[in-house]
Amino acid sequence: MWGIIRRKVSLGCSPASIVEQSLQRIRPVVNASRSYSSSAKEMMVRDALNSALDEEMSADPKVFLMGEEVGEYQGAYKVSKGLLDKYGPERVVDTPITEAGFTGIGVSVPIVFRGPNGAAAGVGAQHSQCYAAWYGSCPGLKVLAPYSSEDARGLLKAAIRDPDPVIFLENELLYGESFPVSAAVLDSSFSLPIGKAKIEREGKDVTITAFSKMVGYALRAAEILAKGGISAEVVNLRSIRPLDRGTINASVKKTNRLVTVEEGFPQHGVGAEICACVVEENFEYLDAPVERIAGADVPMPYAANLERLAVPQVEDIVRAAKRSCYRSVPKAAAA
């Protein structure tokens, strides 16, 4: 189910793919810092991804899509809907279930690997892993994890235009979610800078970092915390590698507290890297121990009740933020 958008590489004897090396196209980057509430139109995440693919393929004939079910089936989650009819089988290429094979074919760069990542629903340990930390540990890769439709559209367009290999991690449960988008986001020149986080909600008491679906959980937790007098700042990472250490550290300097949230396993996780970064660079600003919220250190259970226990919930974030602000009993006392 992984789609591959590639440029400047050869695939078999397809005329569309026999292209000489050329300079990377330079296009303007628009950094939309406006809030979602100020937007006039809503767009589903899957439609944001589809429109980004369509516009980039239309703008550059060297861009093409290859992967499982991306053509005739129009994508497992309909992200590539309509692209086969519009661009033909030479630019939208269905492959067998041979990930290692078509990945090997596409080892030239620029290249983007995109597809679902993170916990799904009721599919057990086979399809519910978050691999952000795995990919994020590899030098040379850029790793992106969008949350909203704005993120999905702007980051995918940036990834396709980027000269380096990019891993693009989409959350399966977000495909059908709708988010407000502005006219600027819908412009064909729109793009988001890789490596730049976004402050989704400003606050002064505690910083909560999150990415992908967990951003929504963090925002819901922030609303609950606000009712109790705790002002939480929510940082949408957007980019796992490069990591926007500047934005994270600036937020911690302001709030003096940190809670990291992710679906992945706790050991060697994205949150662990963020905590190390903050402790190394801004230890003197911390007024409380850092808190990490992550998935349980177990293979994903299939049973719905156990699955819920294995992934972070909004109430977990709320409790961690309260502990950080000394509004709740510590873990040791609670145990």
Side-chain angles (χ1 to χ4, degrees):
M1 291 184 287
W2 280 77
I4 300 182
I5 306 106
R6 306 185 305 156
R7 301 179 59 201
K8 303 189 294 190
V9 292
S10 175
L11 175 63
C13 56
S14 168
S17 62
I18 304 175
V19 182
E20 70 279 2
Q21 294 289 325
S22 62
L23 294 176
Q24 174 73 6
R25 181 172 79 261
I26 304 298
R27 301 184 67 175
V29 173
V30 180
N31 187 4
S33 58
R34 59 187 56 81
S35 65
Y36 300 122
S37 60
S38 65
S39 307
K41 181 180 178 181
E42 290 212 346
M43 174 181 278
M44 281 190 181
V45 169
R46 65 162 55 93
D47 295 331
L49 294 166
N50 178 270
S51 64
L53 285 168
D54 186 11
E55 290 173 7
E56 294 304 299
M57 292 180 74
S58 176
D60 189 341
K62 297 186 293 298
V63 177
F64 68 100
L65 175 65
M66 179 173 70
E68 298 161 12
E69 303 176 323
V70 299
E72 294 289 345
Y73 194 66
Q74 304 190 75
Y77 301 94
K78 307 308 174 189
V79 172
S80 54
K81 183 178 180 180
L83 299 183
L84 176 63
D85 291 341
K86 186 171 183 178
Y87 297 104
E90 291 186 337
R91 294 186 65 193
V92 182
V93 184
D94 277 319
T95 68
I97 305 176
T98 52
E99 289 90 345
F102 64 75
T103 300
I105 291 174
V107 292
S108 300
V109 293
I111 183 170
V112 178
F113 297 87
R114 53 151 296 268
N117 176 73
V123 291
Q126 289 74 28
H127 298 285
S128 283
Q129 299 88 350
C130 175
Y131 289 128
W134 284 30
Y135 295 121
S137 67
C138 298
L141 290 182
K142 293 180 178 177
V143 184
L144 306 178
Y147 160 60
S148 65
S149 298
E150 176 183 307
D151 289 354
R153 181 170 161 79
L155 291 175
L156 183 55
K157 291 170 78 68
I160 296 172
R161 300 170 187 177
D162 197 275
D164 297 316
V166 180
I167 306 295
F168 198 87
L169 304 174
E170 305 157 8
N171 189 280
E172 179 177 340
L173 299 182
L174 285 177
Y175 283 128
E177 292 288 325
S178 293
F179 295 85
V181 291
S182 66
V185 173
L186 296 175
D187 190 274
S188 62
S189 66
F190 176 74
S191 179
L192 288 171
I194 292 175
K196 182 63 178 174
K198 178 184 179 182
I199 305 296
E200 293 284 352
R201 179 184 178 122
E202 293 190 354
K204 60 183 178 59
D205 295 328
V206 59
T207 296
I208 304 175
T209 65
F211 60 93
S212 191
K213 187 177 71 172
M214 290 295 105
V215 175
Y217 281 34
L219 289 170
R220 285 161 57 189
E223 292 177 2
I224 296 171
L225 290 165
K227 295 176 182 178
I230 296 176
S231 174
E233 181 151 293
V234 177
V235 180
N236 173 7
L237 297 178
R238 284 179 166 171
S239 177
I240 306 302
R241 186 180 186 117
L243 190 65
D244 188 356
R245 290 170 167 80
T247 295
I248 296 169
N249 278 295
S251 179
V252 172
K253 283 182 178 180
K254 178 172 67 172
T255 67
N256 309 117
R257 293 172 176 86
L258 172 66
V259 176
T260 70
V261 186
E262 63 187 309
E263 287 185 285
F265 303 123
Q267 184 162 329
H268 309 305
V270 175
E273 174 65 23
I274 292 172
C275 290
C277 166
V278 169
V279 169
E280 288 170 353
E281 298 181 29
N282 289 293
F283 178 75
E284 68 275 15
Y285 285 92
L286 289 172
D287 288 343
V290 295
E291 295 268 356
R292 285 192 296 151
I293 302 298
D297 200 21
V298 298
M300 180 63 71
Y302 173 75
N305 60 329
L306 298 178
E307 181 183 65
R308 189 180 189 281
L309 292 173
V311 294
Q313 302 297 325
V314 173
E315 54 265 33
D316 298 324
I317 305 171
V318 171
R319 284 194 293 265
K322 285 183 176 179
R323 286 194 300 268
S324 183
C325 294
Y326 302 110
R327 301 286 188 89
S328 178
V329 292
K331 290 180 180 177

